[in-house]
């Protein structure tokens, strides 16, 4: 994000087309969570996805700042994340739809991003985990969040697992 300043990402930067196909209640809850992350990141770090119909209790969430592949403008999205083998991971499941989430397409076009974990943030580079390396990651993720296995069963595409690589020496 150029200078790395969080104020470069405005609260209005939101990929509206990301949620077109979702029920209104889900859209509202996801937007409330994103807004909470912008105003009180410590409170938003733990979130209970039961609000959108995903059971299992509170999960850790981060705020992903990504550049729009068409607009070139910075966007932000609150997402559940996982830690495995020293990696910070996000999953581009979009509830098991055939269309990937817009944020993942944005990362594909421009992997340079910024993440905020609670009150702490860092530049990061997105990297899709593929091939033989993917299996232990997917096993871990689907055990941690069984809904991810359900999402994979709903669609034909292989749901991407994306590692968010931090600069050397940076930990969140």
């Amino acid at each position: 994000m150029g200078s790395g300043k969080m104020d470069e990402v405005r609260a209005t930067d939101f990929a509206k087309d990301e949620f077109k196909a979702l029920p209104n209640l889900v859209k509202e809850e996801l937007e409330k969570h994103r807004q909470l992350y912008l105003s009180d990141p410590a409170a938003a770090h733990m979130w209970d996805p039961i609000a959108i119909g995903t059971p299992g209790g509170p999960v850790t969430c981060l705020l992903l700042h990504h550049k729009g592949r068409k607009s070139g403008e910075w966007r932000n999205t609150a997402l559940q994340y996982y830690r495995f083998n020293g990696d910070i991971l996000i999953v581009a499941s979009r509830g098991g739809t055939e269309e990937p989430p817009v944020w993942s397409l944005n990362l594909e076009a421009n992997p340079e991003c910024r993440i905020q974990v609670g009150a702490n943030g860092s530049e990061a580079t997105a990297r899709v985990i593929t091939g033989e390396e993917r299996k232990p990651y997917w096993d871990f993720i689907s055990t941690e969040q069984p809904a991810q296995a359900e999402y994979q069963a709903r669609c034909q595409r292989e749901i991407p697992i994306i590692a968010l690589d931090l600069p050397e020496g940076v930990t969140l």
Side-chain angles (χ1 to χ4, degrees):
M1 286 173 45
S3 66
K5 294 179 184 173
M6 295 300 291
D7 60 358
E8 289 181 44
V9 180
R10 300 182 318 268
T12 57
D13 287 342
F14 186 65
K16 298 294 184 197
D17 57 339
E18 180 83 24
F19 300 107
K20 274 185 198 172
L22 296 176
N24 286 337
L25 180 61
V26 172
K27 289 185 221 179
E28 290 169 12
E29 290 300 324
L30 292 173
E31 177 59 8
K32 282 196 297 192
H33 183 223
R34 189 185 74 84
Q35 289 295 331
L36 180 61
Y37 224 117
L38 290 168
S39 64
D40 188 353
H45 181 247
M46 294 300 294
W47 183 65
D48 194 341
I50 195 67
I52 60 168
T54 303
V59 297
T60 54
C61 293
L62 57 75
L63 192 63
L64 171 69
H65 301 275
H66 50 98
K67 193 177 248 186
R69 69 192 184 289
K70 295 177 185 174
S71 70
E73 294 180 11
W74 285 98
R75 311 285 186 199
N76 55 64
T77 307
L79 299 167
Q80 180 177 0
Y81 75 95
Y82 308 85
R83 290 184 187 264
F84 183 70
N85 282 351
D87 289 317
I88 296 174
L89 309 167
I90 53 178
V91 180
S93 57
R94 196 173 180 236
T97 63
E98 288 303 331
E99 303 79 27
V102 171
W103 61 260
S104 71
L105 298 173
N106 290 342
L107 289 177
E108 186 179 307
N110 184 2
E112 299 305 315
C113 59
R114 183 169 176 81
I115 60 173
Q116 186 175 342
V117 177
N120 301 309
S122 175
E123 304 295 321
T125 304
R127 169 179 54 91
V128 178
I129 296 176
T130 60
E132 292 298 314
E133 182 186 20
R134 185 180 185 279
K135 184 177 178 358
Y137 283 81
W138 183 256
D139 291 346
F140 173 79
I141 288 166
S142 59
T143 299
E144 286 289 306
Q145 181 55 272
Q148 294 293 355
E150 293 173 25
Y151 300 156
Q152 182 61 77
R154 287 183 198 163
C155 65
Q156 297 294 312
R157 68 183 174 96
E158 181 176 81
I159 293 175
I161 300 169
I162 300 166
L164 299 167
D165 297 330
L166 303 176
E168 193 168 326
V170 174
T171 58
L172 294 179

